[in-house]
Amino acid sequence: MKVGILGGGQLGRMLLQAAANYVVETYVLENDEHCPAAHLCHHFIKGDIKDFDTVYNFGKQLDALTIEIEAVNVEALEKLEQEGVKVYPRPSAIRIIKNKVTQKEFYKNNGIPSPEFVVTHNLEELREQVSFLPAVHKIGQGGYDGKGVQVIRKEAEIDKGFDAPSVLEKMVDIKKEIALIVAMNNKGETAFFPPVEMMFDTRLNLLDFQVCPAEITDEVLWKAEAIAQKLVKQLQSPGLFAIELFVDNKNEVLVNETAPRVHNSGHHTIEASYCSQYDMLWRIILDYPLGNTDPILPSSIVNVLGAEGYSGEAKYEGLDEVLKMENVFVHLYGKTQTKPGRKMGHVTIMAKDRSDLVYTANKIKHTLKVCS
Ligand code: ADP
C-alpha cells in the first residue's frame, strides 16, 4: 500500500518511525528537503502542501493520504477523495476544523460543549462587542502556537484583536487543561487514550510540561469521553483526533479546539502506552484492528526547546546526564539549526508516582539545554 503524508515535521517523522513495523510504502510532501521526516520515508517529494496542483499530483499516485498539519490544500484532497484515494481524516473534517469559525459553529450546531462565542469579521465588529468582555479573540485561519490568540479583558484592550474573520470566546474560569486523543476506524469503532494534563508551574519555571493520566474525577473523565465520542461521530470521519479541553471551576468540560491528526499531546504514547497514537493511525489507515490505549505506566513529557540567546548549529548540553536517567526516553527531531524557542525534541519520563514524574521533569528541564 502506498501512503502519503502531507507535511514532514516531527509528527511526520514519528509517524514514519511507527510505519517501519508495517508493510507500507511511504511518501512525504514538504517544501523543506531538510525537514525531520525527509530521510525516513521511501519517497520524498519537495513541494507546497497548500498548493492545489502539487497536492493533487502527489496524491493521485497513492492509495491513501494523511496529514501532520491542517494547513493543507483541502480542495485537492476533496478531488482525490472523489477519485478514490482514501484520506485520513476525511477532507470534510479537515475543512471544518481548519478554520476556527467553522470549527466553533460545528460544536454549537452539534451540541458539543464549548465556550460561548460570537463571530467578528473585522476590528469594527469587534469593537461592538464590549459587553462580551472579558474574552479571548482567536483568528479563524492561520494562527498556531498561541500566535492567533489574544486575551481581551477590557474595552481599552480591544484593538489588540484581529482585523480578520475571528471568534470572540467568553473567558473561561479554567481549573485544568486536558487533552484527549480519540481514534475512529473505517467501521466507526472508537478508542480513547487516557487524557493528559497540561501543567503550568510558573514557580518551577515548568511551563511546558504534561502528565498522563490527568488527575481528574471519573465524572470529568466520562464527560470528556462522551464529548470525544460525539465529536468524532458527528465529524463522520475515520482518523485520529486530539481534543483539547478545559475543565472549569464547576467541573464542566468544554472543548477548546480539535486537531484532526497525531498531536504533540500524544508523544508519550510511544513508550508509555501499549499502542502509540502513531501506531493507532497506521492501524486505521491499513484497516487493522484498533490498538490497546492503556497506559503501561504514568508518564510525562518535557519539550526540548532552543535556549534563549542561541541561534545556529544545535549543540545539546547535558544530554549525557539525561540519557543516564532511568526510564527516561530522549527524542531529538534531527533539526540541525536551533533558535530561541524552536522545538528540537521531547523527553518522555515514566514513573509509578506522580511526584517522581514532576521531580524528574524539572531536573531534565534544568539539565538539558540546546545551545549553538
Ligand atoms: P493555540 O491554537 O494557538 O494553541 P488555543 O486556542 O489553544 O490557541 O489557546 C491558547 C491558550 O489560551 C489555551 O491553552 C488557554 O490557556 C487560553 N485560552 C484559550 N481560550 C480560552 C478561553 N475561552 N478562556 C480562557 N482561556 C483561554
Side-chain angles (χ1 to χ4, degrees):
M1 190 161 171
K2 294 179 178 178
V3 181
I5 303 172
L6 296 182
Q10 54 261 22
L11 292 165
R13 181 182 175 95
M14 287 178 265
L15 204 45
L16 290 163
Q17 286 170 337
N21 293 324
Y22 295 103
V23 182
V24 54
E25 197 176 334
T26 53
Y27 292 70
V28 166
L29 179 67
E30 162 72 55
N31 244 337
D32 173 11
E33 64 258 60
H34 303 294
C35 67
H39 66 286
L40 288 178
C41 55
H42 296 98
H43 307 276
F44 179 78
I45 289 104
K46 184 175 158 68
D48 184 359
I49 58 174
K50 291 185 184 153
D51 179 68
F52 181 92
D53 290 335
T54 309
V55 173
Y56 178 71
N57 289 326
F58 173 74
K60 71 179 185 203
Q61 56 184 331
L62 305 173
D63 300 305
L65 273 170
T66 191
I67 58 168
E68 67 135 32
I69 184 164
E70 41 279 28
V72 293
N73 190 292
V74 182
E75 291 75 20
L77 293 178
E78 279 163 350
K79 187 166 160 64
L80 288 163
E81 185 182 49
Q82 278 162 15
E83 293 175 8
V85 179
K86 289 272 201 176
V87 187
Y88 298 88
R90 294 193 58 199
S92 52
I94 302 175
R95 189 180 274 289
I96 292 167
I97 288 173
K98 207 182 153 180
N99 187 315
K100 281 208 172 154
V101 176
T102 49
Q103 191 184 138
K104 287 288 290 185
E105 281 167 349
F106 167 81
Y107 300 143
K108 191 174 168 188
N109 296 338
N110 288 285
I112 292 163
S114 181
E116 201 188 317
F117 73 102
V118 288
V119 176
T120 61
H121 294 92
N122 47 48
L123 268 183
E124 212 179 329
E125 280 185 28
L126 177 62
R127 290 191 196 107
E128 286 163 17
Q129 295 296 339
V130 173
S131 62
F132 205 76
L133 304 179
V136 182
H137 204 218
K138 301 182 177 183
I139 199 158
Q141 287 214 59
Y144 66 97
D145 279 353
K147 289 197 184 76
V149 177
Q150 278 293 350
V151 175
I152 303 176
R153 289 179 196 281
K154 49 184 194 283
E155 191 174 356
E157 293 174 357
I158 214 150
D159 283 350
K160 288 202 306 192
F162 303 102
D163 196 14
S166 306
V167 292
L168 185 68
E169 230 180 60
K170 277 264 186 235
M171 181 82 82
V172 177
D173 198 2
I174 301 173
K175 186 160 91 179
K176 257 182 211 286
E177 294 195 33
I178 62 174
L180 190 165
I181 294 174
V182 54
M184 187 160 92
N185 65 12
N186 288 311
K187 291 189 205 127
E189 294 163 343
T190 51
F192 305 93
F193 285 88
V196 301
E197 180 173 347
M198 316 299 167
M199 308 279 284
F200 299 95
D201 191 332
T202 41
R203 191 179 52 86
L204 294 173
N205 192 22
L206 220 57
L207 292 163
D208 213 349
F209 166 60
Q210 132 197 333
V211 175
C212 181
E215 236 173 16
I216 48 176
T217 60
D218 283 346
E219 195 198 342
V220 167
L221 175 65
W222 297 331
K223 280 186 192 168
E225 287 188 344
I227 287 171
Q229 176 81 10
K230 193 164 179 182
L231 196 154
V232 77
K233 290 276 178 202
Q234 301 288 359
L235 278 175
Q236 297 176 20
S237 167
L240 195 94
F241 300 86
I243 307 168
E244 293 181 25
L245 301 148
F246 298 139
V247 183
D248 74 8
N249 280 320
K250 291 184 194 128
N251 284 332
E252 290 308 322
V253 181
L254 303 163
V255 176
N256 174 26
E257 60 178 354
T258 302
R261 51 168 171 83
V262 288
H263 192 250
N264 290 343
S265 65
H267 287 331
H268 64 288
T269 59
I270 295 174
E271 288 93 5
S273 305
Y274 288 98
C275 172
S276 76
Q277 63 165 345
Y278 306 99
D279 185 49
M280 188 68 99
L281 185 57
W282 286 115
R283 286 165 175 262
I284 293 168
I285 295 171
L286 302 172
D287 237 344
Y288 291 131
L290 292 175
N292 178 358
T293 56
D294 286 347
I296 296 167
L297 272 181
S299 60
S300 69
I301 295 177
V302 177
N303 286 322
V304 180
L305 305 175
E308 284 302 320
Y310 296 91
S311 290
E313 201 168 316
K315 293 198 177 64
Y316 295 87
E317 260 178 34
L319 186 56
D320 283 18
E321 213 174 311
V322 173
L323 284 167
K324 280 184 207 153
M325 293 178 184
E326 221 171 286
N327 280 341
V328 165
F329 306 90
V330 177
H331 295 255
L332 300 178
Y333 301 152
K335 299 177 184 175
T336 53
Q337 303 294 310
T338 184
K339 57 183 179 194
R342 187 172 194 204
K343 219 170 154 214
M344 305 298 286
H346 73 264
V347 182
T348 301
I349 306 150
M350 288 164 70
K352 267 196 223 92
D353 292 325
R354 203 178 160 94
S355 57
D356 288 342
L357 289 176
V358 177
Y359 173 80
T360 310
N362 194 30
K363 200 165 158 198
I364 291 169
K365 198 102 190 170
H366 291 97
T367 304
L368 189 56
K369 193 170 164 190
V370 192
C371 309
S372 60

